[in-house]
Amino acid sequence: MSKRLILSVGREFGSGGHAIAEGLAKRFSLEFYDSNLLEHIAERKNVSGEALKKYDERPRNRLFSRTVRGYSNSMQENVANLQFDALRAMAEEGKSFAIVGRCSESILKGYDGLVSIFVLGDWEAKRERIMRLYNLSPEEAEHMMSRKDWERKSYHNYYCKGKWGDSRNYDLSINSSRLGVEGTVDLLETYIRARMDA
């Protein structure tokens, strides 16, 4: 593997995937992107980042959108393509970075230095985490988990051939409930360093 590192982290809602990706980015001194990718895009396009974030990782509404001659009127689709283009541009420039979600394991497939990971977790552990982070009841947390994962799955599966969360589409899938966030970061750091030395 080359010295360049592109870390792609897909995740189930509540699994701690964002925190794990952020921890790995710090350990490898990588630029870290999640929803903040849209802020960078918004600066370049001179538009409001908050306006774009409403459509971030949201499935296209097929009832109210259409594509004519390759141009879509779907804000969800346009925001997704802006992000895909930005990721490819960074990869083409030879940059090292960490990215959470955004179909990155598929969009960046084939670029040197890509390590793709999917973080999942036990239902109960994810529910407890969401209850704690968002101050929700168990029922509210479960509803939020189901809705967010449905959105991520629908978004991913619309743009990618491989299915969201299917272990065959990632270098490694890991259940963060076994070791917790820090323990998972430790284990993944060892794996990534071994890949970089291979």
Side-chain angles (χ1 to χ4, degrees), residues 2-182:
S2 67
K3 295 295 181 186
R4 194 254 293 262
L5 174 61
I6 300 174
L7 181 60
S8 162
V9 180
R11 74 286 185 222
E12 290 181 343
F13 189 71
S15 66
H18 175 96
I20 289 165
E22 193 169 28
L24 288 167
K26 286 178 183 170
R27 293 193 189 186
F28 289 95
S29 301
L30 300 173
E31 289 290 323
F32 177 71
Y33 298 101
D34 194 342
S35 60
N36 65 331
L37 178 62
L38 285 173
E39 293 166 14
H40 295 279
I41 293 169
E43 281 176 24
R44 290 201 314 271
K45 300 282 186 184
N46 200 24
V47 295
S48 164
E50 288 305 312
L52 295 180
K53 283 184 181 180
K54 290 190 302 188
Y55 306 103
D56 188 26
E57 283 196 303
R58 297 264 194 255
R60 172 183 170 174
N61 186 328
R62 294 180 191 208
L63 187 62
F64 297 107
S65 60
R66 54 184 246 178
T67 302
V68 177
R69 295 185 183 144
Y71 294 97
S72 174
N73 72 342
S74 164
M75 280 303 294
Q76 294 91 338
E77 189 166 7
N78 291 327
V79 167
N81 284 318
L82 282 172
Q83 292 182 89
F84 300 159
D85 290 344
L87 291 174
R88 288 188 194 103
M90 288 192 293
E92 288 290 336
E93 290 168 19
K95 291 184 176 179
S96 290
F97 58 93
I99 177 69
V100 176
R102 284 138 194 93
C103 302
S104 51
E105 86 291 338
S106 294
I107 297 300
L108 300 173
K109 192 171 188 172
Y111 285 101
D112 288 341
L114 176 66
V115 177
S116 60
I117 296 162
F118 190 82
V119 182
L120 58 139
D122 294 341
W123 181 260
E124 296 79 12
K126 292 188 298 181
R127 182 181 60 200
E128 292 302 315
R129 181 180 174 81
I130 296 307
M131 286 169 60
R132 187 178 72 253
L133 289 176
Y134 296 96
N135 195 27
L136 299 176
S137 70
E139 295 77 19
E140 291 169 327
E142 288 183 6
H143 176 74
M144 189 176 195
M145 288 162 56
S146 296
R147 181 173 53 84
K148 289 284 192 180
D149 278 348
W150 177 85
E151 286 176 353
R152 288 177 181 174
K153 181 179 182 179
S154 299
Y155 165 87
H156 185 281
N157 292 352
Y158 177 77
Y159 295 106
C160 304
K161 289 181 182 175
K163 299 302 180 190
W164 181 77
D166 184 336
S167 62
R168 291 169 293 190
N169 299 321
Y170 307 88
D171 295 319
L172 185 70
S173 293
I174 189 163
N175 186 330
S176 61
S177 302
R178 300 293 175 264
L179 299 174
V181 169
E182 280 304 309

Side-chain angles (χ1 to χ4, degrees), residues 175-195:
N175 186 330
S176 61
S177 302
R178 300 293 175 264
L179 299 174
V181 169
E182 280 304 309
T184 302
V185 170
D186 290 340
L187 180 67
L188 291 173
E189 180 184 5
T190 301
Y191 172 78
I192 294 165
R193 291 199 186 282
R195 284 282 307 277

